[in-house]
Amino acid sequence: EVQLVESGGDLVQPGGSLRLSCAASGFTFSTYAMHWVRQAPGKGLEYVSGISNTGSRTYYVDSVMGRFTISRDNSKNTLYLQMGSLRAEDMAVYYCARDYWDYWGQGTLVTVSS
Amino acid sequence: DVVMTQSPLSLAVTLGQPASISCKSSQSLVHSDGNTYLSWFQQRPGQSPRRLIYRASNRDSGVPDRFSGSGSGTDFTLKISRVEAEDVGVYYCMQATPWAWTFGQGTKVEIK
């Protein structure tokens, strides 16, 4: 059974940093690109970042470029999102999803507040 | 960036009646490989999104056949032939062209 389990969400002050993780199981992680999508409270889905199966290619939405870094460890079947210079507008539930978009995690909540 | 525009943004439907959601992209979604990378997702209250349709018209396994996707180029439609109570939620289109993914704003479907 394919499973994606996010963790790392927390309350952080504006300007702070946080690292999210997404633990994958039930499929060959190293053969799939992976993605992060977020959803601010009461708002729609926003694509955040993606990474190729080997990690050699990455993509970021403009609003997080230079502040967030996506990475993966195929030996640990884990996807990461390093978030820095956090702003109030980054507050959201963050989902990881497998390429082809057929499996999503349950999400992890990032709260940015002083 | 490709902009995805959904309409309507909210839809109240009587049980058993049809519903239709439009999604328009700012540029053609036909990829150089010949595929059209347009997907539809359902997000029920309190749940993660679930893919319903991929490549514009292919229904995912386990998705009821009352859901159908159609369209090509820049204009796409998700139809629910007979709305049921479990269909309440927000529906999103997403252009899944590799390395340029964007979502529509979402359409909230509720029961009248």
Side-chain angles (χ1 to χ4, degrees):
Chain A
E1 179 195 5
V2 172
Q3 283 197 318
L4 298 170
V5 180
E6 301 95 336
S7 61
D10 204 347
L11 169 63
V12 61
Q13 291 187 340
S17 299
L18 204 58
R19 188 177 83 158
L20 306 183
S21 299
C22 170
S25 60
F27 66 102
T28 307
F29 181 70
S30 61
T31 64
Y32 286 83
M34 296 292 295
H35 307 278
W36 288 100
V37 173
R38 67 185 178 185
Q39 187 170 36
K43 301 297 184 182
L45 301 174
E46 181 186 25
Y47 186 86
V48 175
S49 183
I51 188 168
S52 63
N53 63 313
T54 61
S56 62
R57 185 173 184 179
T58 58
Y59 176 86
Y60 301 93
V61 69
D62 287 348
S63 60
V64 308
M65 188 89 68
R67 300 188 300 120
F68 290 11
T69 302
I70 190 171
S71 63
R72 64 191 296 159
D73 186 335
N74 285 346
S75 69
K76 295 182 178 179
N77 291 342
T78 303
L79 173 72
Y80 302 101
L81 186 68
Q82 180 68 48
M83 311 165 66
S85 302
L86 283 163
R87 307 166 180 167
E89 55 265 34
D90 296 319
M91 184 164 69
V93 173
Y94 285 72
Y95 297 100
C96 65
R98 187 173 82 163
D99 204 32
Y100 305 116
W101 303 94
D102 51 352
Y103 288 95
W104 295 60
Q106 84 290 347
T108 187
L109 177 62
V110 173
T111 303
V112 183
S113 176
S114 54
Chain B
D1 291 355
V2 179
V3 177
M4 307 299 290
T5 303
Q6 290 182 230
S7 62
L9 298 184
S10 181
L11 195 53
V13 187
T14 301
L15 286 173
Q17 292 301 300
S20 181
I21 300 170
S22 170
C23 176
K24 297 184 187 297
S25 59
S26 59
Q27 56 188 261
S28 174
L29 300 187
V30 180
H31 193 262
S32 55
D33 64 9
N35 290 310
T36 297
Y37 291 102
L38 186 284
S39 296
W40 288 97
F41 297 86
Q42 174 194 61
Q43 189 176 31
R44 291 171 170 152
Q47 295 187 11
S48 301
R50 166 201 184 194
R51 194 181 69 179
L52 301 175
I53 303 288
Y54 62 96
R55 276 186 259 132
S57 60
N58 296 274
R59 194 166 45 246
D60 269 276
S61 173
V63 173
D65 60 8
R66 64 179 181 274
F67 289 93
S68 64
S70 64
S72 62
T74 60
D75 290 348
F76 302 90
T77 302
L78 176 70
K79 292 183 180 177
I80 310 173
S81 59
R82 297 172 305 279
V83 171
E84 297 189 5
E86 65 178 16
D87 300 336
V88 165
V90 182
Y91 292 79
Y92 297 90
C93 63
M94 186 191 81
Q95 68 93 7
T97 303
W99 305 103
W101 306 271
T102 49
F103 289 93
Q105 318 98 299
T107 296
K108 185 175 184 178
V109 173
E110 57 185 8
I111 303 301
K112 193 182 295 183

